[in-house]
Amino acid sequence: MCSHSQNQKHYPELNHGSGAKWIKSLTQNRLSTFLGGHFQDVNLSSVLYTHRIDGSHHVDLQVWSAPGLTKPSFHEAMKQEFKPAKKGDSFGPSWTNHWWKVTLKIPSYWQQYERVQFEFDPGCEAMIFSTDGVPLQGITGGYGGDRRVEYIIPSQAVRDGQYAVVIESSCNGMFGVPWNGDIIAPPDMNRYFELASADLVVPNQDAWHLMWDFTTLREIVDTVPGNTALQNKALVTANKIMNAFTSGDPENVKRLRGIAEDVFGKDWYAKGDKIYNEGPKKVQVVGISYCHIDTAWLWPYSVTQQKTARSWSTQIDLMERYPEHRFACSQAQQFKWLEEQYPTLFERIKKKVASGQFHLIGGSWVENDGNMPSGEALVRQFLYGQRYFESRFGKRCETAWLPDSFGLTAAYPQLIRDAGMKYFFTQKLSWYERNVFPHSTFNWVGIDGSQVLCHMTPVDTYTAQATVGDVNKGITNHKNLESDATALLVFGNGDGGGGALPKMLENLRRIRATTNEHRELPSVSMGSSVEEFFADIEEASKEGKMLPVWKGELYLEFHRGTYTSHGSIKKGNRKCEILLRDVERVATLTSLLKPKGHSYVYPKRAIDECWEKVLLNQFLPGSAIGMVYDDADKLYAEVREVCTGLLEDAFSVLLPRSSPLLSNSTSETLVAFNATSFARHDVIKVPLSRNATRMKAQVIQTSADGKHGYALMHSVGNKVASQPVGMFSVCMPASVFTNGTDHFVLRNANVQLTISEGRISSLIDVRLGRELIPKGSSGGLVIFEDRPNYWDAWDVEIHHLETSTPLSFSQVRVIAEGPLRAAVQTQVKFGNSTIDVTISLDAITATMKGNSRSFFNFDAVVDWHERHKFLKFELPLNINNTYATYESQFGFVQRPTHKNTTLDAAKFEVCGHKFADLSEYGYGVAFLSESKYGFACEGNVLRISLLRAATAPDAEQDQGRHEFSWAVMPHVGSFLESDVPMAAFIYNSPLHGQLGFSDNAGHIVPPLPFWLEGAPNIFLETIKRGEDDFQPNASGTTVILRMYEAFGGHGSVKLHVGEHVPVKRAYVTNILEDIKGELGLVSTTGAHSTLKLEFRGFEVKTVKLVLETEESDLDISDISSTVSSKRDSWVTVDEEL
């Protein structure tokens, strides 16, 4: 016999078996039966718990229900009288809060078990407190994927045999209380929740870990491409576990866990978090836990405060058991709420921030809307956010973070960099309708050329569940692996809060163990920060040189209806932004120029509180439930009230000889305050009494009933006083003509508008003899059917443009005949709604620019009672261009008027701020807006969006009364040659106050001590006191001036500072007011100081002036005569008819 035959293993000669061939798909389908479902009483689910007990002997429940929608604190609740409760009781209605005292008696023999838990499922959200009021952990009731109802009882309490906690349950789910289960449905205000569980349980820890093992194996099978070694091995292993499972044998589960090591590796579980130290050094996917909490959405602000505490305490709890767990958290507002309402939890968070487990990101006050806040408001989002983080935690954020904003302005890169950050994370653009965004990691370049390193996670969500599919998608869905092959896995339940769950952290450990043994999946790491993730990309890409570039806005092809939804919020935002700008300007002037010894102090705290309210509301794009907008309206009302008072306080110091202008004034001179830096003329409406002889002499035109007059106000240079003047030579008397029925013409010497048969049939530049509306076309109000495919308040679909119905002005009548103002009043009735529109033309031009034209103003009062209708105003124009221009923050953006590509077609509804413009060489027409943000230009038809009427998630969205204005402004020259940005700035900045002096003493109003000379494309936006002036150890006085280039080109200006504001030093700072460099200061003896400033296109520049004297040493009496007698109030100018 040959020796080699003797050494071979025996291979049977005969085979009577059927073979081991499987039908793979059937085996794979089988895996779904191992957990829950029809076989839950005999599969793995049947052994997840060793013991479960309830009843008053072991779980004593006492409850107190807070009255109404009140939200008492822990200590307030503990003073109340509690009554017995039991499992199965129901509590409600929606949004109410219920407090529980829970006393647990734990069987002594349970000390043998690894873990004992209290399971509390109220069907809604809840928070567990210690008996002395420390928040311990959040509860999410119900049976969704965000369920977390278990609380681990401390080992010492198990040994003691008793334990007590306090629980606050709130009658809302993670996503509010939608009426019919549809997430966007209006809330059911009468929902009750049943206490489904209040049990002491002993979980079978081996069974739970086997469940997590099996889950990961099954996810591998479902994710990894078919017929790979890893997929087949995972399927074989999972199948073995199912075959070997025996429900009645406790030791059986432990043995089954050993089978899973065939995929995860030998003894992988014993390594715990050290599993991340093995395997590849260069990982492809970096995990970071995150908990997105909408500051308000399907729940009001008060519920968000509770959600924050629940979610963040839960994450701290997880950090104790999972050392690799790192939690990233944004929104300074939520931290402040926590600091005020849950101080003990806030102190725990501070410790976790210091230990490096709780990461601060974002740098902003809230995760605000990225389209509608003004440029200055975006600055304040970062200023207030970063300074809060620094003041509480000793550090600022390094990464800007806006994962859920509905598009992002191209002003952001510059502002992010100027806020001390260079990294940016977002992902909402993955919600594309048609065009896939082409990059995952790229340099995002803004309108001024600034760039940030941007990552848009290829996982396509900020609420990943940390599944194998999520990790794999981080690479398979990556758009530019050739330049960067890493992805950020942002995981944890969100929108309504919650954050990471234990199952997610367990799954990630198993995925890492798998990739330590196999290469078919991307490797995932835990324990690092978002900044480390970006820093690695920055280094690997050679400081971004190897990355693609995206220039301009990040336009979301979705949720375009939010530019218009909830018009009152849009108006509140715009008006309060401008009011705060004016308050800061006036208060700064007052603090610098007050009389010696006067007690006036710059109202920093009040201004900060107002800004925080405005910034908070900027989370709201227009798609929340009605309760949210009730709260927001109250905040705006508070801001208006406070700011009005602040203006009155300041004017009583600046202009002490003034008195309120009343209808019975007899011998006074009219003076108003110009809070802009532009010379301007305005037509204002003033009340007249029968005896107001002097006041009547100052008005040029009187209403038919004699109760009101129209005065022409004029301010020049840096003079803040605007005083009445006569009809000077550049005025063009306005008039209105009618044939008495259906033909009306508003006209002055440079423009003319005709309303014929209820439509605007003609718009003429009189000086050029140019007709601006094509022959046979007409403009005016138009209404569209508005039925989005799903997201009602969020979306407007392109097909709405196919359903237009032109509306005709009716009951047109002349109400002002000139010469200062000509006007007609019209009415439109549609459905259940009435739209009253006053169209007026003044005898002045839009700005003081030489070839400026007048604009036609439209003041609307609407009683709106439609459903699923979209009201717009449109004009077809005899102008041809492939793009239209829209104001954005600190500049503008140009968007296509055509549909050449799907990218172009997608921009059928866009966001703009104070103007939209369609121009060609030589001429253009702009719409000016004082509170609207939705615009469109389809071919040559320019539109402004006025009102929507969605019914979800707010069933009464926009119902009722609205007042708003817009204007049609023809202009000579293309947009870049026009005065449109200046006109829009002035249009949004009405004069403040109508003052009466005892004599013609308007000259006592001090001039604005800061003004620009040179390039007209540089705008002075903000004048305020320096933030550091109000720090505890502050010394000296500083003034902050913020300017920007508005037209997209270079500019050189001289910044002049008046002689009565002596400047010691001047610096360029970032928007956080950190010094970047010193400026050369040129002073003229006995005169003003001058700084020369250079701007690139769209550059935002912040200048800090350090004054030589304390504010109390500056004296208004050096400028004007000493005056006293405080004025009672300050009346805001009403520019409406």
Side-chain angles (χ1 to χ4, degrees), residues 537-563:
I537 294 175
E538 182 181 358
E539 180 180 3
S541 66
K542 299 181 180 179
E543 290 72 48
K545 295 182 179 66
M546 305 301 292
L547 296 176
V549 170
W550 183 269
K551 293 191 175 185
E553 67 176 331
L554 296 177
Y555 178 84
L556 178 65
E557 296 180 4
F558 220 49
H559 295 356
R560 306 169 184 88
T562 58
Y563 311 148

Side-chain angles (χ1 to χ4, degrees), residues 560-565 781-788 794-797 800-801 803-805 807 830 864 866-873 908-910 932 934-936 943-950:
R560 306 169 184 88
T562 58
Y563 311 148
T564 306
S565 293
L781 294 174
V782 60
I783 203 155
F784 298 84
E785 298 296 324
D786 187 15
R787 301 169 188 172
W794 293 259
D795 284 347
V796 57
E797 309 290 358
H800 87 284
L801 296 172
T803 64
S804 64
T805 300
L807 304 179
F830 178 86
W864 186 245
E866 301 310 306
R867 305 288 181 177
H868 302 295
K869 305 292 184 183
F870 200 158
L871 178 67
K872 301 187 182 187
F873 174 83
F908 60 86
E909 182 81 6
V910 297
K932 299 301 177 183
F935 295 93
R943 296 190 182 101
I944 180 172
S945 298
L946 302 177
L947 287 172
R948 297 188 69 218

Side-chain angles (χ1 to χ4, degrees), residues 646-657:
L646 295 178
L647 285 173
E648 291 180 356
D649 291 343
F651 287 135
S652 69
V653 179
L654 270 183
L655 306 162
R657 293 176 63 182

